[in-house]
Amino acid sequence: HSMTGKQAQPAAPDYPSMTSLPILGYRYSDLYRQTKIQEAIYEFLTQQYETAKIDEARELPSVRVMDPAVPPERKSSPHRILIWICSLFGAMALTTCWVLGKNSWERIPPDDSRRLLAADVKEEIRRGIAKTRGRRT
């Protein structure tokens, strides 16, 4: 009935033919055997995994405490008073350096090259900070 001249092929049946049954039986048994093998491997690996988890939970830690800690009879050095005295003298030395430095800086005339250079550096630092703040916002 087709216009191209070819005969219409019969529709494939919903069930296998008698000649293909032995081949299908072999294929079914092969797939069934592979499935059973994979199931057995999965069960074996699952048992091994569970056993390993239980063994890991039972393991003793590799570090043991040989002797309990005992607090010291007296404090070790440096003594707190020594730290306090060193901090006090350090702060006094830094304050003295700051005061002397500021005093000598104020004695430099405003048109001195060192003072002008310091002003330029200070201005560049302020511009850099302003740029960074401008980028963040």
Side-chain angles (χ1 to χ4, degrees), residues 41-93:
I41 291 172
Y42 178 77
E43 287 176 17
F44 175 74
L45 290 176
T46 304
Q47 288 174 355
Q48 292 292 322
Y49 177 68
E50 294 297 327
T51 304
K53 281 177 41 179
I54 291 171
D55 289 344
E56 183 180 353
R58 286 184 187 166
E59 280 184 14
L60 295 175
S62 60
V63 177
R64 292 188 310 179
V65 177
M66 300 302 282
D67 296 321
V70 178
E73 294 174 8
R74 62 184 182 93
K75 293 180 182 177
S76 64
S77 63
H79 298 288
R80 289 185 183 158
I81 190 73
L82 181 63
I83 294 172
W84 186 82
I85 289 172
C86 289
S87 299
L88 179 69
F89 282 118
M92 286 175 31

Side-chain angles (χ1 to χ4, degrees), residues 90-133:
M92 286 175 31
L94 287 174
T95 305
T96 303
C97 289
W98 175 262
V99 168
L100 292 175
K102 185 171 171 112
N103 188 19
S104 66
W105 179 256
E106 288 175 353
R107 284 192 214 156
I108 298 174
D111 60 342
D112 188 80
S113 63
R114 292 177 291 176
R115 197 163 190 152
L116 294 174
L117 176 66
D120 287 344
V121 169
K122 183 179 175 182
E123 187 59 34
E124 284 296 321
I125 291 173
R126 283 187 181 170
R127 279 191 224 146
I129 291 172
K131 276 186 181 179
T132 344
R133 286 183 181 165

Side-chain angles (χ1 to χ4, degrees), residues 14-30:
D14 292 337
Y15 50 89
S17 67
M18 290 299 278
T19 57
S20 65
L21 282 180
I23 297 170
L24 289 176
Y26 173 74
R27 180 80 177 131
Y28 172 77
S29 64
D30 188 41

Side-chain angles (χ1 to χ4, degrees), residues 26-40:
Y26 173 74
R27 180 80 177 131
Y28 172 77
S29 64
D30 188 41
L31 290 174
Y32 183 77
R33 187 181 59 188
Q34 287 178 4
T35 304
K36 286 298 180 183
I37 290 171
Q38 289 176 359
E39 284 178 2

